[in-house]
Amino acid sequence: MKKKLLPIGSVVMLKGGQKRLMICGRIQTMAGNDVIYDYSGCFYPEGIVDPKKMSFFNADDIENIYFIGFQDPEGLALQKAIYDLGDLVVKDGKIIEAALKEAANDNGETS
């Protein structure tokens, strides 16, 4: 993971979007999906009204940033930990480092 990610609480508009989203998760995947997205978001200003209507998107999908969310030492430490991660994959519904999946496969575990 080499991208700089926006903090939780940031408010953005996606390309072609008609309603702003507030970022409420970073490095996310949808249940039953092996795709890893940079962000999950909910409509702004409503917030999470229905978890089934969360939006999943990547940094490249953002057209405009309206607000950059709260940042403090704890959030910045998490941001650094995210930067330090290697390539990521989804295994058994969880996001893990690709190297861990390869090691498990080398030990005879199935994907």
Side-chain angles (χ1 to χ4, degrees), residues 86-104:
D87 291 329
L88 302 174
V89 295
V90 177
K91 179 178 179 358
D92 300 327
K94 296 181 181 177
I95 298 171
I96 62 169
E97 288 186 76
L100 295 175
K101 183 175 181 181
E102 289 172 18

Side-chain angles (χ1 to χ4, degrees), residues 24 26 31 37 45 52 59 78 95 100:
C24 51
R26 299 180 288 184
Y37 297 91
K52 294 177 185 170
L78 176 61
I95 298 171
L100 295 175

Side-chain angles (χ1 to χ4, degrees), residues 45-88:
E46 294 90 339
I48 301 171
V49 177
D50 181 353
K52 294 177 185 170
K53 293 187 179 180
M54 298 289 292
S55 295
F56 293 83
F57 56 97
N58 292 312
D60 295 344
D61 300 322
I62 297 172
E63 181 174 295
N64 196 17
I65 299 170
Y66 290 92
F67 177 78
I68 296 178
F70 179 71
Q71 297 180 72
D72 67 356
E74 183 179 11
L76 293 172
L78 176 61
Q79 182 80 298
K80 182 184 180 326
I82 291 170
Y83 291 156
D84 291 344
L85 291 174
D87 291 329
L88 302 174

